[in-house]
Amino acid sequence: MSDSAPDTSGTSALRGRWREALLAARGGKSLAPDPEPYADALLARWAEPQRRYHTTAHLTQVLDRVDTLAGHAAEPALVRLAVWFHDAVYRPDRSENEERSAALAERALPEAGLPDAATAEVARLVRLTVTHDPADGDTNGEVLCDADLAILAASPKEYAAYAAQVREEYGFVPDDAFREGRAAVLRQLLELPRLFRTPHGAAEWEPRARQNLTTELELLTR
């Protein structure tokens, strides 16, 4: 994706997934307000030109992973809404993206017909992606964080593409500074006692993710 526009394919399917999640979170009782304008506004954000990894392709992949893990979540519809908002505000040169994304959810979801308690849970989940460290028993948080980090367990080719896209998003950072910062992030991840909290994530994704992280760190520091 290095010289191409962010992937905006499959937007019709994504609109359907947004509608399904929002109606489920609203209890499926009403079609008003119309979910479509909210989907379009979010999709426009996910297609912004500064994005290389955090595109609609990433949105789709995380939603797919939530589908895999949904049985573990207490409120899978709210987790899916949190996926839509977790990188809705994304500027690589700023550090408050998650907070601004959560605030966007707090503004948009009540207008879209979501009850206050459900809105608060979605915003909490979005803020959790700052640390990806859900408390034990926070099954909604475990599913969201595992789904977001599942890229770490991709095939070596897919992981290399992900790492290259991240580098492109931080193209304004000099090479030496990027290598130092990225290496620190990788070491922090590798020092965690576990990357994934769901049973599926721990069994299926943890070993390959650690291998990918170790390989990238070796390439950055040799």
Side-chain angles (χ1 to χ4, degrees):
M1 198 182 298
S2 59
D3 296 318
S4 59
D7 179 13
T8 57
S9 63
T11 54
S12 178
L14 282 168
R15 287 189 190 96
R17 294 175 85 163
W18 163 263
R19 179 185 182 89
E20 182 179 350
L22 182 59
L23 292 180
R26 293 193 325 208
K29 298 177 182 178
S30 174
L31 296 178
D34 183 0
E36 193 87 359
Y38 298 93
D40 289 343
L42 285 165
L43 288 168
R45 288 178 174 274
W46 283 90
E48 292 165 340
Q50 77 275 13
R51 298 169 182 258
R52 291 297 181 270
Y53 171 66
H54 295 88
T55 66
T56 52
H58 172 60
L59 171 61
T60 300
Q61 289 164 358
V62 180
L63 288 170
D64 288 346
R65 298 299 181 269
V66 170
D67 288 348
T68 298
L69 303 173
H72 185 76
E75 299 162 301
L78 299 186
V79 178
R80 291 184 175 100
L81 293 180
V83 173
W84 277 86
F85 280 96
H86 83 288
D87 286 321
V89 178
Y90 185 72
R91 289 285 301 274
D93 58 337
R94 296 183 180 177
S95 60
E96 72 278 11
N97 291 314
E98 293 87 357
E99 178 57 37
R100 293 176 67 204
S101 295
L104 177 65
E106 289 170 333
R107 294 194 303 272
L109 287 172
E111 294 178 6
L114 206 66
D116 289 346
T119 295
E121 174 65 358
V122 172
R124 182 191 73 83
L125 291 169
V126 172
R127 292 185 173 102
L128 190 57
T129 62
V130 175
T131 62
H132 291 94
D133 188 20
D136 289 341
D138 178 7
T139 58
N140 288 342
E142 289 172 345
V143 168
L144 177 63
C145 291
D146 277 19
D148 196 27
L149 293 180
I151 184 61
L152 302 181
S155 69
K157 182 178 180 180
E158 291 169 329
Y159 185 89
Y162 146 73
Q165 290 162 357
V166 170
R167 179 65 184 107
E168 288 178 41
E169 288 185 337
Y170 286 88
F172 57 91
V173 179
D175 284 344
D176 288 347
F178 178 82
R179 283 195 295 270
E180 181 179 350
R182 180 69 177 171
V185 169
L186 298 174
R187 291 190 185 97
Q188 184 179 31
L189 288 169
L190 286 166
E191 288 168 3
L192 293 173
R194 50 183 178 162
L195 294 165
F196 299 100
R197 309 301 180 89
T198 65
H200 181 91
E204 300 296 329
W205 297 338
E206 185 90 17
R208 178 175 282 178
R210 290 192 174 274
Q211 182 178 0
N212 284 333
L213 291 168
T214 299
T215 299
E216 184 185 1
L217 181 60
E218 290 173 351
L219 292 171
L220 285 171
T221 57
R222 67 183 182 184

